[in-house]
Amino acid sequence: TQRVVIIGAGIVGTNLADELVSRGWTDITVVEQGPLYMPGGSTSHAPGLVFQTTPSKTMTNFARYTIEKLLSIEKDGQNCFNQVGGLEVATTPARLEDLKRKHGYTSSWGIEARLVSAEECLKLYPHLNKDVVLGGLHIPSDGLALAARATQLLIERTREAGVKYLESTPVTGIERANGRVTGVTIPNGSIAADIVISCAGFWGVELGAMVGLSIPLLPLAHQYAKTTPVPSLVGRNLNEQINGKNAELPILRHQDQDLYYREHGDQYGIGYYGHRPMPVKASSLGLTSKNIDEKNMPSRLEFTAEDFDPAWKETQRLLPMLRDTEIADGFNGIFSFTPDGGPIVGQAPNLDGFWVAEAVWVTHSAGVARAVAEVLTTGRSQIDITECELSRFEEVQLSQSYIEETSSQNFVEIYDILHPSQPKESPRQLRTSPFYAREKELGAYFLELGGWERPFWYESNKELLNYLPPKWKPVERDAWSAQFYSPIVAAEAWKTRNAVAMFDMTSFHRFEVSGPGALDLLQRLSTADVNTKPGTITYALLLNDHGGIRSDIFISRLEENLFQIGANTATDLAYLSREARHQSQKGNFVQVREITGSTCCIGLWGPRARDVINDITTDDFSNKGLPYFGVKQATINGIPVTAFRKSYVGELGWEIQTTAEYGQRLWDIIFQAGKIHGLIAAGRGAFNALRLEKGYRTYGTDMNTEHNPYEAGVAGAVRASKWEDYVGKAALERIPSKQKPARRLRCLTVNDGRSMVLGKEPVFYNGKAVGYVTSAAFGFTVRKPIAYAWLPGTLDEGASVEIEYFGRRIKATVVSEPLYDPDNKRLLA
Ligand code: FAD
């Protein structure tokens, strides 16, 4: 068993100790800077509201497990969760609509919930002002976590199981040797460890700094206040007054005004997110580990009453009975916000054995702890944690200014109604491709990802709408799905399918894997046989030990010992780099280098792509000169390029890559030469639609570590005859190949040919929610909206299903895929 040190005895650290010890790990020490009875972190004052439902399946599943666990932690006949239910109310028509969308998530992720009328809201919550509330969403399984009590009981039970606790003991350093942690430094010595997990909450930044690791979280103060006793509630007899179970009404959320509520016996607790962001530097708080009590702890700052004024006014409007009360006690409590709102979980890319589990709410605490424990003990978490990965951030997203600005913005927007495509307004233009100036000239509409500006369509193509054949005319969209969309996308799709278009592919991750051990590394990590002739591209999966998909990649063998990888995320880079480091340490040298920003890439695709290329190169771009899935060096009007014969949109063409300094010239040459062949620049709007028609999956959206290649429909990337061992091979071999998977990623088309969905909507079969949509787009070539969805394996082609979209049921049909060019005639043209 490994020697483990957990830093922090908040709700996350104690849960993690519990999850590890229950999996048989025995050598665990929890080090806490505060006193154990009240460590003084965020957990010590958390009011504990648990609203489970979010757009994220992962986070919702974490919350569900947290509730399950809190219900199971018992002492003196009482557990640690008060399942009073949750009620979210709408006071604006927009919110009322949004609650319908949220209800969709509850069905997608399997949480029971009901949209309720204003009258029902009042029945559930009699204190509401009936003149204000328009309706609500009721989730019976939500409720109140007794976080402080749970922490104490977890300490008690893990101690009995052998976990050691050191209190009033700050960790002041992380000890390392040869790229691995070896222990932690504490005031009177050190503790040796093979694995150190920082569960330091908003102190995470300080712990990260000890190992040169930027932890992208921002501690922010958030206001919480308690009223004086409500006269009409004084003396009421709550069944369970002991141990904090002093509430019986549902927890209440009034997101239109950034407010939430719970009962505390005869008092009310009010949480407020409507105030200005109040960032805090954890290191400035000092260690007040002596004299910690309920009112005096590092995570609790002085109440700023003036910031709370609007909340108090609004509260008296929503809950008129509180007009008879005053604020008895308020504070500005600190907890973590992150650039994308997600928690930060995983192993440090730069240091083996150093893990973090931070920026985690009480709501998700046990779920996150279980995931980390599973990864440590078995190599994977049953709930996918891709979107929580510490390594998901791009370098530019780890700068202090980026973290501060985006995390503060997340605080501001925490209860806002956000469209899934809505981009950050700031910071922008952090990363632009060499084509950026030209794209702007063409009126590109940009959305942002990973700091990159990515064109979604070009206003310069607007006039094409006048020439669109009737069959290609875009259908009217509802107001929600029409956001961040333009009908121009239809024209760009039409041009790609019928002439030729150029797409900026620069923002896709590109890595170089080189050295004498390069082949061995890729053979060991990927499902494909990449011992191919130089000049060959291979589509492959990276799996975990359990056969779950951790990424899908393109591996191009450029030379004997030089490969280029087309990958998905920064997490892929962290994984490949770590594995390369380990292999090199064993003497089989291999290097992984990110080349995304130093290179750029144009996808030149469409039936006339060859006409364009032949006008600007003397190299052979025929099927013989560069067959499908081939790659070669070439020259385009004097510019050295690497040409990859592949296409995400399912048309003849190449990804043409060069180094950054030639980018703009390459763009100009192709654009000019293409004009007479009808070439346009096209954006990601068309790209997404075309790729779905072709059935190409997007990692993270359509599939993740919870899925195996057979279920996800990417078994073609698994080379059955590969004799070399690779990660996940044994697990795949245990999956009976003839058996129908219990669930499958399926292609649906919408029957009415016009109703759009956007992703994450629930799918119903015979009236029962059986799955959810992953990606969706209007398929311009097939003239129908397309949705990919996870569905039971028993649903075959032809099955009729319904997709719920803002409370409306849209009829759809399971169809065979890909919808477009199943024989690859276009690709092979
Ligand atoms: P913490 O509880 O902060 O624990 C981290 C521990 O690490 C601390 O005890 C600290 O002393 C220790 N530590 C730090 N550095 C060191 C070091 N160098 N050496 C040793 N020990 C160290 N969440 C919800 O889900 N629902 C809510 O309703 C809710 N309401 C909230 C209301 C307020 C006012 C606030 C402030 C937060 C609220 N939260 C809520 C958020 C929630 O409280 C936190 O996200 C959660 O408690 C974090 O738990 P943790 O274990 O990660 O961190």
Side-chain angles (χ1 to χ4, degrees):
T1 172
Q2 310 255 26
R3 296 165 302 169
V4 177
V5 166
I6 294 171
I7 304 167
I11 191 72
V12 177
T14 51
N15 260 304
L16 180 56
D18 184 62
E19 295 287 335
L20 283 173
V21 89
S22 71
R23 282 171 176 73
W25 282 26
T26 50
D27 193 341
I28 303 167
T29 307
V30 180
V31 187
E32 168 55 56
Q33 68 188 6
L36 280 180
Y37 70 89
M38 188 175 278
S42 307
T43 308
S44 297
H45 57 57
L49 289 83
V50 177
F51 287 97
Q52 297 164 84
T53 313
T54 78
S56 158
K57 176 170 176 251
T58 290
M59 299 307 281
T60 306
N61 279 334
F62 283 162
R64 190 202 331 256
Y65 175 69
T66 302
I67 291 180
E68 221 173 86
K69 181 156 181 187
L70 290 168
L71 284 168
S72 76
I73 304 173
E74 243 188 54
K75 194 177 177 186
D76 303 329
Q78 207 187 103
N79 61 41
C80 293
F81 194 70
N82 190 0
Q83 202 150 31
V84 288
L87 179 65
E88 311 208 4
V89 292
T91 60
T92 59
R95 180 70 59 179
L96 199 59
E97 274 305 288
D98 201 57
L99 289 183
K100 292 183 190 162
R101 188 165 67 107
K102 196 162 217 181
H103 178 261
Y105 296 141
T106 65
S107 305
S108 290
W109 316 145
I111 303 276
E112 207 180 300
R114 219 160 49 86
L115 286 164
V116 288
S117 65
E119 291 73 45
E120 282 175 289
C121 287
L122 263 96
K123 269 200 202 120
L124 288 162
Y125 213 101
H127 309 313
L128 286 169
N129 183 347
K130 70 173 179 351
D131 300 332
V132 174
V133 174
L134 302 179
L137 178 67
H138 181 225
I139 305 117
S141 53
D142 286 349
L144 285 161
L146 280 57
R149 174 178 149 90
T151 306
Q152 293 307 313
L153 295 185
L154 285 169
I155 292 174
E156 215 172 274
R157 92 177 186 196
T158 52
R159 241 189 193 147
E160 276 164 24
V163 174
K164 294 182 280 293
Y165 282 85
L166 294 180
E167 61 181 332
S168 304
T169 307
V171 167
T172 54
I174 309 294
E175 297 173 3
R176 301 157 265 182
N178 303 322
R180 273 209 69 85
V181 291
T182 56
V184 299
T185 313
I186 54 175
N188 50 6
S190 54
I191 310 169
D194 306 302
I195 293 172
V196 172
I197 309 149
S198 178
C199 302
F202 65 81
W203 283 272
V205 179
E206 277 64 29
L207 269 298
M210 292 177 194
V211 298
L213 179 68
S214 169
I215 299 290
L217 70 76
L218 181 70
L220 285 168
H222 150 62
Q223 290 199 301
Y224 192 79
K226 272 187 198 172
T227 65
T228 52
V230 182
S232 60
L233 299 183
V234 173
R236 74 173 168 161
N237 184 14
L238 283 182
N239 292 333
E240 301 178 279
Q241 278 284 5
I242 47 165
N243 288 327
K245 282 213 176 182
N246 50 4
E248 57 184 3
L249 285 180
I251 52 174
L252 179 68
R253 226 158 36 175
H254 174 27
Q255 295 191 299
D256 288 320
Q257 297 292 335
D258 296 312
L259 282 158
Y260 65 84
Y261 303 92
R262 61 159 291 179
E263 297 170 288
H264 292 277
D266 53 18
Q267 297 170 281
Y268 254 71
I270 308 168
Y272 187 42
Y273 288 109
H275 53 80
R276 68 202 153 99
M278 301 189 249
V280 178
K281 217 169 162 44
S283 57
S284 72
L285 297 171
L287 299 180
T288 55
S289 68
K290 307 212 165 68
N291 315 326
I292 283 190
D293 62 41
E294 296 229 348
K295 301 244 161 114
N296 174 31
M297 58 175 92
S299 59
R300 202 183 141 118
L301 303 180
E302 205 58 42
F303 191 55
T304 48
E306 64 284 5
D307 288 306
F308 198 73
D309 270 352
W312 185 230
K313 286 202 184 75
E314 181 59 28
T315 293
Q316 290 172 319
R317 189 171 82 102
L318 185 77
L319 300 166
M321 89 184 160
L322 295 186
R323 291 172 194 165
D324 301 332
T325 67
E326 283 164 32
I327 299 299
D329 174 29
F331 63 97
N332 295 358
I334 307 167
F335 72 111
S336 309
F337 281 77
T338 59
D340 61 6
I344 294 173
V345 181
Q347 190 173 192
N350 63 341
L351 183 60
D352 291 347
F354 185 75
W355 293 72
V356 301
E358 286 154 354
V360 178
W361 289 37
V362 168
T363 301
H364 311 111
S365 55
V368 167
R370 179 177 68 170
V372 174
E374 284 176 342
V375 172
L376 288 173
T377 57
T378 74
R380 68 107 198 231
S381 144
Q382 53 181 297
I383 295 174
D384 178 67
I385 56 168
T386 308
E387 64 184 63
C388 312
E389 272 288 347
L390 160 66
S391 57
R392 71 188 180 274
F393 297 96
E394 303 284 323
E395 205 174 5
V396 70
Q397 298 174 312
L398 293 171
S399 75
Q400 199 47 40
S401 62
Y402 183 92
I403 296 167
E404 278 172 21
E405 181 173 357
T406 54
S407 303
S408 298
Q409 190 58 21
N410 263 317
F411 177 91
V412 172
E413 290 175 354
I414 188 162
Y415 281 176
D416 289 1
I417 299 169
L418 297 175
H419 191 279
S421 300
Q422 190 164 319
K424 286 183 184 53
E425 269 167 35
S426 171
R428 291 292 295 268
Q429 283 98 28
L430 293 176
R431 302 169 94 181
T432 57
S433 84
F435 320 132
Y436 183 67
R438 295 293 182 261
E439 292 166 347
K440 280 197 79 143
E441 284 163 22
L442 295 174
Y445 177 83
F446 293 98
L447 293 174
E448 180 269 350
L449 186 77
W452 283 106
E453 295 296 332
R454 309 190 309 164
F456 267 64
W457 64 84
Y458 295 88
E459 286 297 325
S460 60
N461 292 327
K462 192 168 185 179
E463 60 169 324
L464 292 174
L465 286 171
N466 302 326
Y467 310 109
L468 265 189
K471 282 197 274 189
W472 284 84
K473 289 257 184 284
V475 299
E476 278 292 308
R477 294 195 175 199
D478 66 284
W480 184 254
S481 71
Q483 290 187 54
F484 309 104
Y485 163 80
S486 161
I488 295 171
V489 168
E492 294 181 1
W494 170 62
K495 273 290 199 175
T496 312
R497 288 273 183 256
N498 293 289
V500 53
M502 56 198 282
F503 293 79
D504 183 351
M505 301 295 286
T506 304
S507 65
F508 284 78
H509 286 85
R510 290 179 293 281
F511 316 141
E512 222 173 60
V513 179
S514 60
L519 177 64
D520 289 342
L521 179 82
L522 296 170
Q523 287 291 63
R524 185 165 58 79
L525 299 183
S526 83
T527 55
D529 184 359
V530 288
N531 193 4
T532 54
K533 277 202 321 274
T536 312
I537 306 172
T538 310
Y539 177 63
L541 304 173
L542 303 177
L543 303 178
N544 61 28
D545 279 325
H546 300 251
I549 305 168
R550 57 181 307 158
S551 196
D552 65 335
I553 60 175
F554 288 91
I555 303 175
S556 302
R557 191 168 202 178
L558 302 178
E559 296 166 18
E560 192 67 22
N561 290 333
L562 176 63
F563 295 82
Q564 182 173 320
I565 310 295
N568 291 300
T569 58
T571 299
D572 293 342
L573 179 65
Y575 173 60
L576 292 173
S577 301
R578 186 189 307 281
E579 291 293 331
R581 209 163 56 231
H582 292 170
Q583 187 183 303
S584 298
Q585 279 161 0
K586 290 185 197 139
N588 190 2
F589 184 77
V590 51
Q591 190 186 18
V592 177
R593 199 164 68 92
E594 153 115 67
I595 56 164
T596 312
S598 57
T599 54
C600 56
C601 185
I602 291 172
L604 177 66
W605 295 314
R608 305 198 58 184
R610 198 172 273 129
D611 299 334
V612 179
I613 203 97
N614 282 342
D615 284 353
I616 48 179
T617 183
T618 50
D619 287 294
D620 184 0
F621 276 75
S622 69
N623 272 329
K624 192 146 163 282
L626 187 54
Y628 185 56
F629 264 42
V631 53
K632 73 172 184 183
Q633 309 298 322
T635 308
I636 290 191
N637 271 12
I639 300 174
V641 302
T642 310
F644 301 78
R645 173 84 190 270
K646 67 184 174 83
S647 163
Y648 281 102
V649 302
E651 297 295 338
L652 165 71
W654 308 269
E655 285 177 18
I656 301 171
Q657 176 184 313
T658 187
T659 45
E661 78 270 38
Y662 300 121
Q664 187 160 315
R665 215 168 99 75
L666 178 69
W667 176 281
D668 289 345
I669 288 167
I670 296 177
F671 195 70
Q672 283 308 324
K675 272 190 183 154
I676 56 163
H677 303 291
L679 174 136
I680 58 158
R684 302 199 66 81
F687 179 94
N688 287 338
L690 299 169
R691 86 152 171 104
L692 268 197
E693 291 183 333
K694 197 60 190 146
Y696 294 144
R697 277 72 172 145
T698 295
Y699 187 76
T701 308
D702 297 313
M703 56 188 184
N704 58 43
T705 57
E706 291 178 17
H707 310 116
N708 72 44
Y710 307 109
E711 302 168 319
V714 287
V718 179
R719 176 59 77 86
S721 60
K722 180 173 172 181
W723 63 269
E724 287 94 345
D725 198 19
Y726 60 84
V727 178
K729 186 181 188 192
L732 285 194
E733 283 170 356
R734 284 195 296 272
I735 299 169
S737 60
K738 294 221 172 56
Q739 196 179 305
K740 240 189 202 175
R743 54 177 183 190
R744 277 187 291 173
L745 184 64
R746 299 308 302 253
C747 180
L748 308 175
T749 53
V750 169
N751 296 3
D752 69 13
R754 53 187 316 110
S755 296
M756 287 300 301
V757 299
L758 297 179
K760 302 192 175 187
E761 296 86 359
V763 181
F764 291 78
Y765 180 67
N766 282 341
K768 244 185 77 187
V770 293
Y772 58 91
V773 173
T774 57
S775 298
F778 191 87
F780 297 102
T781 324
V782 299
R783 297 177 186 95
K784 283 180 185 146
I786 305 169
Y788 271 74
W790 281 99
L791 292 177
T794 48
L795 282 196
D796 282 318
E797 278 150 31
S800 293
V801 297
E802 290 179 317
I803 306 173
E804 184 181 302
Y805 182 73
F806 288 93
R808 195 158 61 84
R809 295 285 171 90
I810 295 171
K811 289 199 179 350
T813 307
V814 180
V815 294
S816 91
E817 59 160 330
L819 294 169
Y820 180 71
D821 190 25
D823 303 324
N824 287 341
K825 289 208 180 76
R826 313 274 296 198
L827 281 173
L828 301 172

